[in-house]
Amino acid sequence: GTKKYPKENEYNSYLSAHGGYSNAYTDLEDTCYYFEVTYDALEGALDRFSQFFIDPLFAADCTDREVSAVDSEHKKNIQSDMWRQYQIEKQLSNPEHPFSLFATGNYDTLSGAAKELGVDLRDRLLEFYDKYYSANIMKLVVVGRDSLDQLTEWTVSKFSPIMSKGMTKPAFKAHPLTEKEVGKLIRIQSIREQRSLDITFSLPDIKPFYKSKPGRYLGSLIGHEGKGSILSYLKKRGWATSIIAGRSTTSAEGFDMFKITASLTDTGMQKYQEVIRIIFAFIQLLLNKGPQKWFQDELRRVSEIEYQFMEKNDSVNMASTLASTMQNKYLPPDCVLPDCLLLTEFNEELLEWIQGFLNPQNFRILLAARDLDVEFDQEEKYYGVKYRVDPIPAELMRELVGELECDELYLPEPNCFIPDNLKVKSKVAAAEPADAPVLLKLTSGLELWFKQDDRFLLPRGNIQVTIETPRAYESALNSIFSQLF
């Protein structure tokens, strides 16, 4: 509760009574609180919400229940391969960097640790709140159907009392991946039946380069799925089913990482070293060819189209996403909205510099599978993950630093499907838009329907093909084949 609304759960009860809910999450650097409510109850919700940052009570019994909630959340995640792998990545990073600490929390690290240290957990909670909950490092986003003037009036009147303590966000100059952490082969036992290969490179902080987004440029080329791509090569040999590349979601202010993740087949896992050779062969190709302006121009054009015709987002997702985006100190106000999509600049020197970090002396490997043929010699503390750490095989390293050639790998061809002209033929919406599609063709084996966009007049088309066959569910095997197709 709060001083103005001392009744416990007053906030959530108000939201529930008006068709809403609240939630929160803590990322590497930020904690984001958000809620959704019916439009006519927004002012009351904002008033109740703001009081948590003005006069919270932090009742002792509520602190205990929150510890239980955190512990319960952790126990739920113990069988999650995503959380298990994430904790291994953190644990095996630079121990002098806070990234190496436990990602969430449980009873032992909260109440248990407080008892061992002889401190009061609630007192520590209040100390943390008093130190970091400062208006000058907080960002607020309000989305509503009321006028901007009305939303501004509510926001200013209700949130202005939040104190600014002149706090600056902590800065960490070191990197989670130093020369001691790279050059390692990490193997972990997963819970699910999966086979994955992760290659992680250490990068400097690339958030200042929001105009050119070098992570997106490299991720789009390395993760390309067409002819000449890494995935095309691996699929042809039955070694992998997917590949994803880009700036790691575990990056934060002061450091970045670039990650390449491949979902391998059983054969691919056995051939993991050859898979890594092919990935580095493609990286060498990128380095030799240099930054490609035409490819960056394609990314820029696609981002412009996506932003221009972006569909309306869910209000609560928009609010929480923008609040997080605003924490990027390098972004000017006019770039906050389009930052998630727009790419506006080609910086050849920057791209060459960032590409240079994708080298054999600056990466580590993580293999995850349920049935890895290896003797695990360590067990992680919080999730019980069995794992093993070895140096990357010397023979593989020698090959990666040498010349790697593969005639089947080459850059993607220009995308001829990116439009230049987005004008629609009909510029006037119909007085009465059609409610149903029109049947264009009907035969014994085909129905062809068409629905003209006569309401929004957007340069966008959707094609949906439905194949009806009784064989799809004649057996479990057929059902799986249908999904694979």
Side-chain angles (χ1 to χ4, degrees):
T2 64
K3 186 175 181 180
K4 185 174 181 179
Y5 299 102
K7 183 180 177 182
E8 189 176 342
N9 285 326
E10 162 66 24
Y11 169 61
N12 284 321
S13 296
Y14 179 87
L15 295 179
S16 298
H18 295 87
Y21 70 96
S22 69
N23 210 336
Y25 66 85
T26 296
D27 211 336
L28 286 177
E29 299 177 282
D30 313 313
T31 295
C32 181
Y33 303 91
Y34 58 91
F35 70 83
E36 185 174 53
V37 74
T38 54
Y39 77 93
D40 56 337
L42 178 59
E43 182 184 10
L46 288 173
D47 193 47
R48 287 162 174 78
F49 182 65
S50 65
Q51 293 302 310
F52 288 117
F53 311 103
I54 299 172
D55 280 317
L57 295 180
F58 290 117
D61 57 341
C62 291
T63 303
D64 293 337
R65 283 198 295 274
E66 187 58 31
V67 169
S68 297
V70 171
D71 187 67
S72 177
E73 182 79 9
H74 167 68
K75 288 177 179 176
K76 176 181 70 68
N77 293 333
I78 287 178
Q79 298 299 306
S80 166
D81 282 319
M82 185 274 288
W83 282 105
R84 293 163 68 87
Q85 180 171 323
Y86 181 39
Q87 183 57 35
I88 288 292
E89 291 175 351
K90 289 170 68 65
Q91 179 170 306
L92 297 178
S93 63
N94 178 7
E96 297 181 3
H97 196 284
F99 180 80
S100 64
L101 300 175
F102 183 25
T104 54
N106 60 16
Y107 182 85
D108 293 334
T109 62
L110 295 170
S111 294
K115 291 178 181 178
E116 288 184 9
L117 295 172
V119 298
D120 186 276
L121 182 60
R122 181 174 177 273
D123 289 343
R124 286 296 179 91
L125 176 65
L126 292 173
E127 289 175 13
F128 185 90
Y129 174 86
D130 290 337
K131 181 177 181 179
Y132 291 108
Y133 277 56
S134 176
N136 67 296
I137 59 171
M138 298 168 70
K139 307 298 179 185
L140 175 67
V141 177
V142 178
V143 180
R145 61 184 289 182
D146 297 278
S147 68
L148 288 177
D149 289 340
Q150 180 65 80
L151 294 175
T152 301
E153 180 187 334
W154 288 340
T155 302
V156 171
S157 65
K158 299 180 188 308
F159 290 89
S160 291
I162 299 176
M163 291 182 59
S164 177
K165 303 160 188 174
M167 178 65 192
T168 57
K169 292 179 66 173
F172 306 101
K173 296 182 179 180
H175 198 290
L177 297 184
T178 69
E179 59 182 12
K180 295 180 180 179
E181 286 74 45
V182 297
K184 297 292 191 292
L185 169 61
I186 305 164
R187 285 172 281 196
I188 69 173
Q189 186 176 49
S190 64
I191 298 295
R192 293 189 301 112
E193 190 70 37
Q194 66 169 31
R195 299 173 184 87
S196 66
L197 161 69
D198 276 23
I199 295 177
T200 303
F201 297 91
S202 168
L203 289 185
D205 191 352
I206 61 175
K207 283 188 292 300
F209 314 118
Y210 61 90
K211 292 182 179 180
S212 54
K213 292 182 170 54
R216 184 185 299 184
Y217 169 85
L218 290 171
S220 298
L221 283 170
I222 295 173
H224 179 60
E225 300 183 0
K227 294 180 179 180
S229 67
I230 297 171
L231 184 60
S232 176
Y233 182 98
L234 299 179
K235 274 190 170 182
K236 184 177 180 181
R237 288 157 178 78
W239 293 353
T241 57
S242 68
I243 187 168
I244 301 173
R247 176 175 175 258
S248 174
T249 56
T250 57
S251 299
E253 188 167 320
F255 73 92
D256 265 292
M257 300 180 200
F258 188 88
K259 182 175 286 190
I260 303 169
T261 301
S263 295
L264 303 180
T265 62
D266 185 33
T267 304
M269 182 60 78
Q270 297 173 27
K271 299 275 189 179
Y272 83 89
Q273 293 193 29
E274 185 61 30
V275 173
I276 293 172
R277 291 188 191 96
I278 291 303
I279 291 173
F280 271 89
F282 193 86
I283 291 174
Q284 284 190 13
L285 174 67
L286 294 181
L287 295 174
N288 293 334
K289 293 286 186 179
Q292 303 293 304
K293 185 176 185 303
W294 67 269
F295 189 78
Q296 185 82 328
D297 288 342
E298 284 192 351
L299 294 179
R300 176 188 55 77
R301 179 57 179 156
V302 171
S303 74
E304 290 173 348
I305 294 171
E306 290 179 343
Y307 182 66
Q308 182 180 356
F309 299 101
M310 179 172 56
E311 295 184 359
K312 188 176 181 180
N313 197 3
D314 181 75
S315 59
V316 70
N317 288 333
M318 174 181 284
S320 58
T321 300
L322 288 178
S324 177
T325 301
M326 289 167 66
Q327 287 290 356
N328 182 352
K329 65 181 181 182
Y330 303 104
L331 272 179
D334 61 338
C335 292
V336 171
L337 275 172
D339 178 65
C340 62
L341 290 175
L342 280 187
L343 183 156
T344 60
E345 182 180 272
F346 174 73
N347 187 328
E348 183 174 4
E349 184 177 341
L350 170 67
L351 291 175
E352 284 185 344
W353 179 55
I354 297 299
Q355 284 182 170
F357 288 94
L358 307 189
N359 67 71
Q361 287 77 35
N362 190 43
F363 85 109
R364 68 181 183 183
I365 305 165
L366 190 149
L367 293 173
R370 188 175 180 179
D371 53 356
L372 276 176
D373 185 18
V374 64
E375 182 178 344
F376 299 105
D377 56 3
Q378 299 185 67
E379 184 170 315
E380 189 275 330
K381 177 180 179 180
Y382 300 106
Y383 293 86
V385 186
K386 294 181 179 180
Y387 68 98
R388 181 185 181 92
V389 182
D390 296 292
I392 295 175
E395 182 181 351
L396 175 61
M397 287 296 290
R398 283 194 295 270
E399 292 186 57
L400 298 184
V401 298
E403 292 293 326
L404 297 169
E405 295 183 0
C406 179
D407 294 337
E408 294 183 44
L409 297 178
Y410 47 87
L411 296 180
E413 298 177 355
N415 187 347
C416 62
F417 296 104
I418 298 176
D420 294 318
N421 185 358
L422 293 169
K423 295 180 180 178
V424 294
K425 291 184 178 181
S426 176
K427 297 182 179 180
V428 180
E432 294 184 11
D435 293 328
V438 177
L439 180 62
L440 298 182
K441 188 173 183 179
L442 177 62
T443 69
S444 59
L446 171 69
E447 287 186 21
L448 179 60
W449 295 84
F450 175 72
K451 173 65 173 69
Q452 177 70 45
D453 174 15
D454 51 6
R455 184 189 300 260
F456 303 106
L457 305 179
L458 296 176
R460 178 184 289 124
N462 293 304
I463 299 176
Q464 180 175 326
V465 178
T466 302
I467 301 174
E468 295 183 358
T469 170
R471 300 198 172 198
Y473 297 101
E474 280 183 342
S475 66
L477 184 61
N478 281 9
S479 175
I480 293 174
F481 284 159
S482 299
Q483 294 177 42
L484 289 174
F485 177 79

